[in-house]
Structures are given as structure tokens and as C-alpha cells.
């Protein structure tokens, strides 16, 4: 390691040339041998990369614990042997303990086990972005229906209400038609995806293989996701009466919600507050739900959030339409 004076180290640390520096006091090695550990002063630059700083802190913590525990073991053994007048084996046993500790430190790769948790809740990068792209596609898909569901007037809905068709039934019927259209499009989209996955030998999640039955089962599990996104988009169409407004509202809402839900960047990259908010957004709950379905984990909480949003959006749609017709 390079050495320099404390003043030089402080200056280069401020200039960003150093990530950190440590001041080792004179006689440090002798103090360790005597059991009187002198403290090492360590300072890191706050502007240094988070990963580098964390690794340095972890390394120092491990070294400190290794030195302290090794000393405790050696001095404890020495006192034990001396108290029992075992001077004839004193040096052999102490040297044997030294060699054991050295062997443990040198064989450090076996001290810890490595477990890969994935990029988000156990999902690999490929699995995560398969779900993220799917949620993004469904969120932007609503723009294509602007020609059908943007209503410039409420003449037909008012006429149907006058003929005895309740507004709630009208909303439910149109919503189911919207949802069916979305589901057909998703099914048509999954067919080429299946072919690409077979060509690239991609087998995400706990799927046994890339068979059509596995993909079809996953598509069926995604029905609640399509239901909540369709309910949100249908509600947004009910709030506008112009084509341009409908397209802009759908696009902005899709981009904002998918961004906050981690469709562009993994949600772990965001601050803790946004991570907590994400799981309560309709798209965020959909991401978590789809991820658990891919890993064959029961998504009870996410399913509850999704159905609460479906009821909320349909209820708001009914309220807006009643106000337009009856108000």
C-alpha cells in the first residue's frame, strides 16, 4: 500500500484522489503481540462510491474481529496451559493454535456461503425485465383504444339509461369488452415471445420447461394484472372527452406509474420511500404479483391490493358517468 504523511493523505482525500486512508500508529504490531491493541484511525471520503465505501467498511470490520478473536483464543490458551502447569506442551500447543488460525484466515473463501437473491425478491435480471416489459406494454396498450373509448358525448349512454339499462351495467359491459380486447392482444403477443424463448433457451422462474402449457398457465395467472390495468385505463377514458387528451393522459399515467414501479430501473435502485410506495401502486402491485407467480409463490397481499384497485376504478367510473348523465 502507498504511504504518505497525514497532511498529504487529507489533501488527496479532499481532491478525490483517494477513497480512504488509515493512520497506523507506531508500535502497532508489537502492541498486537502484547495484547494491547492500538487503534487505527480510518477516514473515508463521503463523495466516494457507495459500493467502494461499503466494501472498505466491511473489510475493516472483518479484519478487526479476526484480530481480536484470534488474540482472545491465543491468550486464553496460554493462560489455560500455564494455570495447569502444562509447560512441557506449552509451545507445541500454542504453535499448533497459531497454525490453525493462519490456515483458517488463508482459507477465507470457505468461511462464508454465497447466496444469490436476484435483482428483486429472488428474480433474476432476465425474469425481472420479462415482467417489467410486459407491464409496460399493457400500460401503453391503452393508447391504441382511444379511437373506441374516448366519448365526445353521452347521448348513447343517456338513451340506454332511459331504456332501463343501469349505468353500473353499462360500465361493467364496456369494461369487460375492453378487458377482452386486451386479453386477446396479450395472447397474440405471447405466441412470438414463446418462440423467441425457445430459440434462446430461456426458462424463467420455476417453469420446468418452455412448453406452451407453462406459458399458458402464466398467462392465466396474469388475468388480475390485466384486469387492474384495464380498469385504470377505462377510468381514465371516462374522465376525458377529446382524442388528444385521452392519448396524453394514458401516456403520461403509464410512464409515471411504470417508472415508479421499477419497469425502467430495478426498484431496489430507488430510495426506500419510493420502494414502499411502489408496492401500493396498481402497476407496482402488478409487478410484485407477476414476480411471485413466476416464482410459484402465493401472492395474497398483492392480489388483495389489485382487486381493491379494480373496485375503486370501476366505482369512480360509475360515479363520473352518473354525474355526466344525471348532473
Amino acid at each position: 500500500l502507498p504511504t504518505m504523511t497525514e497532511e498529504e493523505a487529507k489533501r488527496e482525500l479532499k481532491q478525490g484522489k483517494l477513497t480512504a486512508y488509515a493512520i497506523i500508529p507506531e508500535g502497532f504490531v508489537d502492541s498486537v503481540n502484547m495484547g494491547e491493541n492500538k487503534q487505527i484511525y480510518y477516514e473515508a471520503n463521503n463523495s466516494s462510491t457507495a459500493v467502494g465505501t461499503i466494501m472498505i467498511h466491511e473489510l475493516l470490520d472483518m479484519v478487526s474481529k479476526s484480530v481480536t478473536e484470534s488474540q482472545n483464543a491465543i491468550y486464553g490458551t496460554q493462560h489455560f496451559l500455564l494455570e495447569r502447569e502444562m509447560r512441557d506442551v506449552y509451545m507445541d500447543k500454542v504453535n499448533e493454535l497459531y497454525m490453525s488460525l493462519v490456515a483458517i484466515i488463508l482459507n477465507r473463501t470457505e468461511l462464508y456461503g454465497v447466496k444469490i437473491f436476484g435483482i428483486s425478491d429472488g428474480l433474476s435480471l432476465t425474469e425481472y425485465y420479462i415482467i417489467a416489459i410486459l407491464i409496460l406494454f399493457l400500460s401503453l396498450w391503452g393508447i391504441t383504444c382511444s379511437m373506441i373509448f374516448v366519448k365526445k358525448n353521452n347521448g348513447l349512454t343517456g338513451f340506454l339509461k332511459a331504456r332501463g339499462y343501469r349505468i353500473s351495467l353499462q360500465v361493467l359491459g364496456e369494461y369487460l369488452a375492453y378487458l377482452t380486447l386486451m386479453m386477446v392482444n396479450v395472447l397474440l403477443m405471447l405466441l412470438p415471445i414463446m418462440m423467441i424463448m425457445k430459440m434462446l433457451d430461456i426458462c424463467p422462474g420455476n417453469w420446468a420447461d418452455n412448453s406452451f402449457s407453462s406459458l399458458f398457465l402464466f398467462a392465466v395467472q396474469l388475468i388480475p394484472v390485466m384486469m387492474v390495468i384495464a380498469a385504470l385505463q377505462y377510468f381514465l377514458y371516462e374522465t376525458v372527452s377529446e382524442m388528444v387528451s385521452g392519448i396524453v393522459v394514458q401516456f403520461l399515467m403509464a410512464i409515471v406509474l411504470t417508472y415508479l414501479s421499477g419497469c425502467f430501473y430495478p426498484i431496489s435502485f430507488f430510495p426506500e420511500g419510493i420502494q414502499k410506495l411502489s408496492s401500493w401502486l396498481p402497476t407496482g402491485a402488478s409487478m410484485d404479483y407477476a414476480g411471485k407467480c413466476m416464482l410459484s409463490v402465493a401472492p395474497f397481499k398483492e392480489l388483495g391490493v389489485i382487486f381493491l384497485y379494480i373496485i375503486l376504478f370501476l366505482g369512480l367510473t360509475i360515479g363520473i358517468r352518473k354525474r355526466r348523465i344525471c348532473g
Side-chain angles (χ1 to χ4, degrees):
L1 292 176
T3 58
M4 59 185 69
T5 64
E6 183 177 357
E7 290 73 18
E8 291 174 339
K10 287 183 178 180
R11 183 172 62 253
E12 294 197 7
L13 185 68
K14 291 180 180 180
Q15 295 174 354
K17 295 180 180 179
L18 290 180
T19 302
Y21 69 86
I23 301 177
I24 302 176
E26 293 184 5
F28 174 75
V29 176
D30 294 333
S31 71
V32 171
N33 292 330
M34 298 298 296
E36 300 174 357
N37 295 335
K38 293 184 178 181
Q39 292 186 347
I40 297 177
Y41 177 77
Y42 160 78
E43 183 173 348
N45 194 338
N46 292 330
S47 63
S48 60
T49 59
V51 175
T53 304
I54 291 174
M55 290 181 64
I56 292 174
H57 281 298
E58 291 292 333
L59 179 62
L60 290 175
D61 184 58
M62 288 189 292
V63 170
S64 175
K65 289 181 179 178
S66 298
V67 171
T68 304
E69 297 301 329
S70 298
Q71 285 179 327
N72 291 338
I74 293 170
Y75 296 140
T77 302
Q78 291 175 342
H79 286 299
F80 177 84
L81 295 173
L82 292 175
E83 287 178 357
R84 285 160 178 76
E85 299 295 333
M86 300 173 65
R87 298 180 183 275
D88 54 333
V89 295
Y90 178 86
M91 292 304 300
D92 293 337
K93 295 299 181 182
V94 171
N95 289 335
E96 183 180 345
L97 179 60
Y98 267 114
M99 297 305 297
S100 298
L101 293 173
V102 170
I104 291 173
I105 295 173
L106 293 178
N107 197 23
R108 59 190 181 278
T109 55
E110 297 183 5
L111 290 177
Y112 303 97
V114 179
K115 185 175 182 181
I116 300 175
F117 290 95
I119 193 170
S120 176
D121 297 328
L123 293 171
S124 67
L125 184 64
T126 302
E127 295 163 353
Y128 183 88
Y129 274 106
I130 286 175
I131 295 173
I133 292 172
L134 179 62
I135 299 297
L136 180 62
F137 169 80
L138 292 175
S139 300
L140 293 174
W141 178 86
I143 298 175
T144 62
C145 296
S146 56
M147 294 287 294
I148 305 173
F149 288 94
V150 171
K151 298 181 180 65
K152 295 183 179 180
N153 60 71
N154 299 294
L156 179 60
T157 54
F159 173 77
L160 291 175
K161 184 178 184 303
R163 295 294 298 269
Y165 293 94
R166 290 183 297 177
I167 294 177
S168 57
L169 292 178
Q170 294 181 37
V171 169
L172 182 60
E174 291 182 12
Y175 166 71
L176 291 177
Y178 188 93
L179 177 62
T180 302
L181 187 60
M182 174 183 285
M183 293 172 64
V184 171
N185 277 265
V186 170
L187 180 61
L188 294 175
M189 181 190 70
L190 288 178
L191 293 176
I193 289 178
M194 182 64 190
M195 297 176 62
I196 295 173
M197 289 172 60
K198 279 187 172 295
M199 292 172 57
L200 300 178
D201 194 26
I202 299 175
C203 187
N206 293 333
W207 298 350
D209 50 36
N210 284 335
S211 63
F212 281 96
S213 59
S214 299
L215 187 62
F216 180 76
L217 176 61
F218 182 63
V220 172
Q221 292 175 323
L222 288 180
I223 289 178
V225 175
M226 291 182 275
M227 289 176 65
V228 70
I229 294 178
L232 170 61
Q233 293 171 348
Y234 183 63
F235 160 69
L236 293 176
Y237 276 129
E238 193 65 27
T239 62
V240 298
S241 57
E242 295 181 359
M243 182 70 65
V244 176
S245 300
I247 295 174
V248 171
V249 168
Q250 292 286 347
F251 178 78
L252 290 179
M253 187 61 67
I255 294 299
V256 171
L257 288 180
T258 53
Y259 179 79
L260 293 177
S261 301
C263 291
F264 296 95
Y265 299 98
I267 193 63
S268 57
F269 281 63
F270 289 88
E272 185 177 352
I274 295 181
Q275 293 184 35
K276 292 180 180 180
L277 173 65
S278 171
S279 61
W280 295 100
L281 296 175
T283 47
S286 299
M287 284 278 294
D288 295 340
Y289 170 84
K292 288 187 175 181
C293 288
M294 182 170 284
L295 297 176
S296 300
V297 179
F300 295 119
K301 174 200 168 185
E302 293 76 12
L303 200 59
V305 174
I306 285 173
F307 279 105
L308 283 175
Y309 269 115
I310 292 172
I311 295 172
L312 173 64
F313 291 140
L314 291 180
L316 291 174
T317 304
I318 293 171
I320 292 174
R321 184 167 297 189
K322 280 185 178 180
R323 179 165 183 176
R324 281 187 170 183
I325 295 175
C326 303

